[in-house]
Amino acid sequence: MTEPKITLATAWLDGCSGCHMSFLDLDERLIALADRIELVYSPLVDAKTLPETVDLGILEGAISSEEDLEKARLFRARCRLLVSLGDCAVTGNVPAMRNAFRVEAVLDRAYRENVTCNPQIPSLGVPALRCPVKPIHHEVSVDVFVPGCPPSADTIWYVLSELIAGRMPEPARVTRFGA
Ligand code: SF4
């Protein structure tokens, strides 16, 4: 009898998408994974509504905006297990570099000082920035931390394989910050 598939949801908050690219670097192992996992919500698939209950949630990136916070809370509420994937999610990493500056100064730098054509700070269609930028576990509880920038495909494979087998992975055995 075939085992039921584990439902998986992924999202990126304030990240560069590199952690998701590393997931895609699983290459042919994605085919094996498809036998055990159903990707129900992700930037990698068309499904754009997070189901009410999900077995496993993976978040890339730090919490930098109100939209990031809302998504992290939604994932925590609906996912049985939540994974922080990559250094930005685990420590704040690159997005948190702006914590040394005021939000107004960051916006000025990005939208006025470095722009020659119609410099202005956007007010529509962009989520409000939060200060400070935080790692995910500073706002919601996280079950598995996977450091790396990005974590390698081998690391992601190890973590998913352990979780599929019903074991808690020990990512520190196979990856480290900045790896
Ligand atoms: S951890 Fe590295 S690869 Fe992943 S989102 Fe952050 S900067 Fe990108």
Side-chain angles (χ1 to χ4, degrees):
M1 198 172 78
T2 55
E3 294 186 58
K5 290 187 178 183
I6 290 168
T7 52
L8 169 67
T10 81
W12 64 61
L13 308 180
D14 193 358
C16 73
S17 80
C19 293
H20 272 75
M21 295 305 111
S22 205
F23 177 86
L24 291 179
D25 282 342
L26 286 171
D27 295 332
E28 70 278 4
R29 287 177 286 189
L30 288 169
I31 296 169
L33 210 54
D35 285 338
R36 298 303 321 279
I37 274 181
E38 182 184 0
L39 198 51
V40 293
Y41 175 96
S42 172
L44 304 173
V45 297
D46 285 338
K48 294 293 183 272
T49 302
L50 187 66
E52 291 292 326
T53 55
V54 180
D55 293 319
L56 180 60
I58 296 179
L59 289 177
E60 166 195 321
I63 295 177
S64 293
S65 69
E66 297 300 335
E67 188 178 73
D68 295 335
L69 179 59
E70 194 178 316
K71 189 162 282 185
R73 286 177 173 163
L74 191 65
F75 262 63
R76 180 65 280 176
R78 297 187 177 185
C79 298
R80 195 169 56 81
L81 282 175
L82 189 60
V83 176
S84 265
L85 182 67
D87 287 350
C88 295
V90 176
T91 71
N93 197 32
V94 177
M97 290 170 72
R98 78 161 162 85
N99 287 346
F101 307 94
R102 289 182 303 110
V103 167
E104 295 75 17
V106 171
L107 291 171
D108 259 349
R109 183 74 174 158
Y111 292 108
R112 287 203 181 106
E113 294 171 23
N114 285 342
V115 176
T116 51
C117 180
N118 194 22
Q120 59 179 303
I121 295 175
S123 57
L124 293 176
V126 289
L129 292 183
R130 292 176 57 83
C131 191
V133 175
K134 293 180 181 177
I136 291 168
H137 66 284
H138 283 205
E139 290 290 351
V140 300
S141 63
V142 167
D143 302 297
V144 182
F145 296 86
V146 186
C149 183
S152 68
D154 287 345
T155 295
I156 295 171
W157 177 250
Y158 161 74
V159 169
L160 290 177
S161 299
E162 290 295 286
L163 290 171
I164 288 169
R167 297 185 292 264
M168 282 303 277
E170 298 176 47
R173 291 175 48 191
V174 295
T175 186
R176 58 182 168 78
F177 292 106

